[in-house]
Amino acid sequence: MDANQRLPDAGAAQENIEKYALMLETDHAHLPSQAIVELVLERLYPGRVTAISSFGADSAILLHMISKIDRTTPVVFLDTGKHFSKTLKFRDALVNDFGLTDVRAIAPDPGRLRSDDPTGNLHRLDADACCAIRKVEPMNRAVEPFAAWLTGRKRFQSATRSALRVFEAVGPRMRINPLANLTADEIRNYLFMNEIREHPLVAHGYLSIGCEPCSAPVKPGEQARSGRWAGLGKTECGIHFPADAKARPATANPGAN
């Protein structure tokens, strides 16, 4: 099936989207990251795709690739209320550097915060519940209008991501990980060759940067995400689990022109 061929409506059988993801993986996962981003923005999902960015340690690469193709592409930033102040400043600097025109800060539901985390200390008692309120639910709201979204996940970051596919079906939507094949050295080279600013916390050993209470510097020899939720036996916030973004159908047909 050609990449531009129309798929069934978003409410059609789940297996159709899963088959489409497998087809895209077979035909396109080997392409360079920039080529995958171009394919997604211009051929597969023009006007119907967003990017989810933490504006963390190496988020600049995906954003830079997007800016070279279409600076109006919506970029979602999950504003948890717990980010480092340096992350917020870094976000604003990158937006200016790349000329991005549609960066959307999505906040947690105020009612959920009042009822479930009135003191703001839920992360100390139940990190999963905190992530569910401050990241998972907002992310699901953010992607609702779109047929697909881009992430900056990479295989080398952790053992749980070692088998990461480039194209994944998640409910009625497609999740695309165009940087999945990149290595740590390739990321450093990309940032250097394109003269892209570095998140200021990287110099202090933070190789994966999320909310301030749940991020720590990485020790030599550890995996890039070992500083996230250190000591809690937790490796993901939940926004990238297979069950995410299934609540409502996409508003556009995946793969349609």
Side-chain angles (χ1 to χ4, degrees):
M1 179 170 61
D2 183 83
N4 287 320
Q5 185 174 337
R6 182 181 296 273
L7 284 187
D9 289 342
Q14 172 70 19
E15 65 177 0
N16 290 334
I17 297 177
E18 291 174 349
K19 288 178 180 178
Y20 188 53
L22 290 174
M23 182 276 293
L24 292 176
E25 186 75 9
T26 299
D27 292 352
H28 305 296
H30 66 282
L31 294 174
S33 297
Q34 182 70 62
I36 294 172
V37 173
E38 183 176 356
L39 174 73
V40 170
L41 295 185
E42 295 188 342
R43 290 182 56 198
L44 300 182
Y45 298 101
R48 300 184 312 283
V49 61
T50 185
I52 306 294
S53 179
S54 66
F55 287 85
D58 49 28
S59 299
I61 294 179
L62 177 59
L63 298 174
H64 182 259
M65 290 180 177
I66 289 171
S67 72
K68 291 170 66 176
I69 301 167
D70 184 0
R71 294 180 178 182
T72 69
T73 300
V75 175
V76 167
F77 172 68
L78 301 178
D79 193 353
T80 64
K82 297 290 184 179
H83 285 292
F84 291 91
S85 61
K86 290 183 178 180
T87 293
L88 301 180
K89 293 178 181 178
F90 180 63
R91 174 198 63 188
D92 295 343
L94 284 186
V95 170
N96 183 66
D97 289 347
F98 300 155
L100 302 172
T101 63
D102 190 2
V103 176
R104 308 176 183 187
I106 309 298
D109 178 78
R112 289 286 302 277
L113 289 179
R114 285 193 299 269
S115 63
D116 297 349
D117 192 12
T119 65
N121 291 322
L122 183 59
H123 62 277
R124 298 178 180 174
L125 305 173
D126 189 336
D128 287 336
C130 183
C131 287
I133 295 172
R134 296 181 181 273
K135 300 187 77 171
V136 178
E137 189 278 331
M139 196 281 296
N140 286 341
R141 272 191 281 119
V143 302
E144 184 179 328
F146 301 97
W149 77 92
L150 295 159
T151 88
R153 294 187 297 164
K154 294 159 283 288
R155 295 190 183 113
F156 80 85
Q157 291 175 313
S158 66
T160 58
R161 296 184 176 184
S162 61
L164 182 68
R165 284 169 35 189
V166 174
F167 296 92
E168 302 174 294
V170 182
R173 297 174 181 82
M174 194 73 70
R175 178 169 59 200
I176 302 118
N177 310 298
L179 311 185
N181 297 322
L182 292 185
T183 65
D185 286 341
E186 288 172 330
I187 287 173
R188 284 190 289 269
N189 289 338
Y190 188 98
L191 294 172
F192 176 77
M193 295 301 296
N194 290 280
E195 299 181 334
I196 297 173
R197 71 174 69 232
E198 183 178 77
H199 193 298
L201 290 176
V202 171
H204 298 282
Y206 290 82
L207 302 185
S208 181
I209 304 167
C211 293
E212 183 171 4
C214 302
S215 300
V218 173
K219 298 177 182 178
E222 290 183 332
Q223 293 183 322
R225 287 179 60 82
S226 62
R228 301 291 292 277
W229 308 284
L232 297 181
K234 178 178 170 67
T235 58
E236 297 282 353
C237 64
I239 65 172
H240 298 307
F241 290 161
D244 296 338
K246 288 189 177 182
R248 302 181 185 179
T251 57
N253 294 338
N257 288 319

